[in-house]
Amino acid sequence: MDPRCPARKLLDRIGTKWTSMVVKVLAEEAPDELRFAELRRRIPGISQKMLSVTLQSLVRDGLVARRVEPTVPPAVHYRLTELGLSLERPLSALRVWAETHMPEIDRSNQLADESPPG
Amino acid sequence: MDPRCPARKLLDRIGTKWTSMVVKVLAEEAPDELRFAELRRRIPGISQKMLSVTLQSLVRDGLVARRVEPTVPPAVHYRLTELGLSLERPLSALRVWAETHMPEIDRSNQLADESPPG
DNA sequence: CAGTATCCTACCCGATACTG
DNA sequence: CAGTATCGGGTAGGATACTG
């Protein structure tokens, strides 16, 4: 709807529920790889389906690389690409901000809950 | 669902369709204020309703301050708070990344559209 | 001018079951 | 092991009309 704003497009992607978490977990392990089940274990609460669609979208965007070992059963490995790694930098800055300032945001919301009804 | 991850919570907020755009426009004007209609003019495509709910959520989070001049008709002014300004820093880093790298992401998607069906 | 109120649709995401 | 298929609830967000 505003194709001229790259930031909007980017947030459409990394703003989905699990994407930033998947990138974070892969970044912590980078440049090593993680298998599907390992990722799942490290992301509490994610379903098989959501991990699958999230990874597909990241692969499609070129942020994550997928490597299949043609064994049986198959072993599939995921890692951040160079592009994914470069995204991790500004993303981790945002994480630091969140860890520092979310308490303030929470407090602001509590104030809003208490005062305006009265 | 994962209340322990502040980054998730933050992205839930700034990941909504118009939030980052509103913050950006307010940041460009900071420390000056903008009125409701001025904001609307500077954000092509946003509806009155979505600007309203987006601003309410930002005010509630303590990222934006709202000031009403009790004239008739009323004049309402918005500006970023200190907290909002501090968020603008990592956010603008993400914008720079987006402007630099969205073309790569787009190209990656085009490749995905062309090759895998064939 | 700066909002609400209402209706409506698309789609995100979770739960569950099935497969090579 | 690493997925896909299907169903359904909740909600983000657009269109439109109304108000102090």
Side-chain angles (χ1 to χ4, degrees), chain B residues 28-91:
Chain B
E28 284 167 351
E29 210 67 14
D32 288 352
E33 302 175 313
L34 283 175
R35 297 181 59 176
F36 190 89
E38 289 174 317
L39 270 164
R40 191 144 148 57
R41 267 191 298 278
R42 296 182 194 213
I43 304 175
I46 196 170
S47 68
Q48 214 164 18
K49 173 193 167 183
M50 285 319 294
L51 180 55
S52 179
V53 309
T54 303
L55 284 170
Q56 278 171 22
S57 138
L58 284 168
V59 168
R60 196 186 148 82
D61 287 345
L63 297 168
V64 166
R66 180 178 186 269
R67 182 174 69 82
V68 185
E69 280 178 32
T71 55
V72 37
V76 183
H77 302 256
Y78 294 92
R79 62 170 175 80
L80 288 185
T81 61
E82 282 298 316
L83 189 60
L85 273 169
S86 78
L87 173 59
E88 169 61 9
R89 284 177 237 286
L91 212 47

